[in-house]
Amino acid sequence: MRRRDIVAGVVAAGAALSAGLYRFTDMFVKHYPPTPYDDVLGVLADREQAARIGAFVSATPQPQALAARLRAVLKPAGLAGAVKADLAADRLVEVDGWLLPQSVALLSALAAKA
């Protein structure tokens, strides 16, 4: 057996191990069960924390209507643009003593319901 074969085997095993860690653990990227709202929830960095905030948001519509509303808001400029527009128009929502932009509050509420 040549040294080149051993090195190639070690590299292949390392790549397989890295791919397995990426896919089957949350070490690099969090994996969430699929929902019908993944296109909207994909802008969140951490759905679990957003769901914790969203549990305190009151008087939100059903998830289908909420997702449709968020798609209309997020589509043109993304989350950063929606937050800037909310701040400019003074659309703030109080959530458990915190003032949040309306789009962030609604997105968190959707994460809690999904």
Side-chain angles (χ1 to χ4, degrees):
M1 185 177 280
R2 295 185 314 218
R3 189 176 353 169
R4 189 178 309 172
D5 295 337
I6 293 172
V7 170
V10 168
V11 169
L17 179 67
S18 297
L21 286 174
Y22 175 80
R23 174 63 182 98
F24 298 110
T25 68
D26 290 337
M27 188 177 291
F28 300 111
V29 176
K30 294 224 182 238
H31 298 282
Y32 301 100
T35 67
Y37 319 112
D38 284 341
D39 59 325
V40 177
L41 294 174
V43 299
L44 291 173
D46 191 354
R47 286 189 200 178
E48 293 170 5
Q49 296 301 320
R52 290 176 65 188
I53 293 170
F56 295 104
V57 178
S58 59
T60 57
Q62 293 298 318
Q64 296 86 2
L66 190 55
R69 182 174 173 184
L70 284 167
R71 282 183 187 106
V73 171
L74 295 175
K75 189 158 188 131
L79 183 58
V83 167
K84 287 178 185 176
D86 286 344
L87 293 176
D90 200 32
R91 290 188 299 257
L92 300 174
V93 177
E94 184 179 349
V95 178
D96 196 35
W98 292 82
L99 285 177
L100 298 175
Q102 185 180 27
S103 55
V104 172
L106 293 177
L107 193 58
S108 298
L110 181 63
K113 292 182 178 189

